[in-house]
Amino acid sequence: MSDNCLFCKIIKGAVPSDKLYEDDDVFVFRDIAPQAPVHFLVIPKKHVKGPGAVEAGDERLMGKLIRVADQVARQEGISQYRLVFNNGEKAGQTVFHIHMHVLGGRSLTWPPG
Ligand code: 5GP
Ligand code: ZN
């Protein structure tokens, strides 16, 4: 938990969100500015700044994010999607609590811009 972290506040409910899933370790909610018909974020409840701050002890938790992403994607009616982690401002990271974007519901081009 980090006091001035937006996503920690969302986990606590101090900032409202459109929640799709929650358990002891993971919280999932819709992105406020969706870039595809389905766009949600999968985050660990543990405050980790980003992919570059993942520690050895977090490996199981990070794997769980993928499993939950697939489960919620299917709940949302899609089985084809893109998973994205941005690490650092240059890569497009704006919130420094690690989050996996799940995007789908339309054809996605590659490479990204
Ligand atoms: P990043 O750019 O750090 O990879 O992704 C941050 C994401 O969080 C963005 O896609 C942005 O739209 C989303 N976001 C920022 N603030 C909020 C918020 O208050 N609520 C929700 N649901 N999403 C947010
Ligand atoms: Zn946080």
Side-chain angles (χ1 to χ4, degrees):
M1 248 281 293
S2 173
D3 281 346
N4 50 11
C5 168
L6 174 62
F7 286 178
C8 283
K9 287 178 185 162
I10 285 179
I11 291 164
K12 274 193 300 183
V15 169
S17 72
D18 193 349
K19 181 173 87 175
L20 296 174
Y21 174 88
E22 179 178 13
D23 65 23
D24 288 347
D25 311 311
V26 177
F27 194 94
V28 182
F29 56 106
R30 290 192 201 283
D31 197 292
I32 205 167
Q35 301 302 310
V38 176
H39 184 182
F40 59 86
L41 303 173
V42 182
I43 66 177
K45 288 190 170 175
K46 179 182 177 185
H47 180 85
V48 175
K49 280 187 190 157
V54 170
E55 297 168 337
D58 300 325
E59 285 171 2
R60 194 180 179 84
L61 177 60
M62 294 303 138
K64 184 172 179 181
L65 300 185
I66 296 178
R67 197 170 57 72
V68 169
D70 185 74
Q71 187 182 310
V72 177
R74 286 169 192 277
Q75 223 170 272
E76 290 295 295
I78 60 167
S79 59
Q80 300 185 58
Y81 48 77
R82 181 172 294 168
L83 305 180
V84 176
F85 285 97
N86 294 323
N87 188 58
E89 279 169 29
K90 259 191 174 171
Q93 187 176 8
T94 58
V95 178
F96 290 84
H97 179 129
I98 193 169
H99 48 280
M100 179 191 282
H101 293 262
V102 183
L103 296 139
R106 66 169 169 85
S107 293
L108 300 164
T109 56
W110 190 264

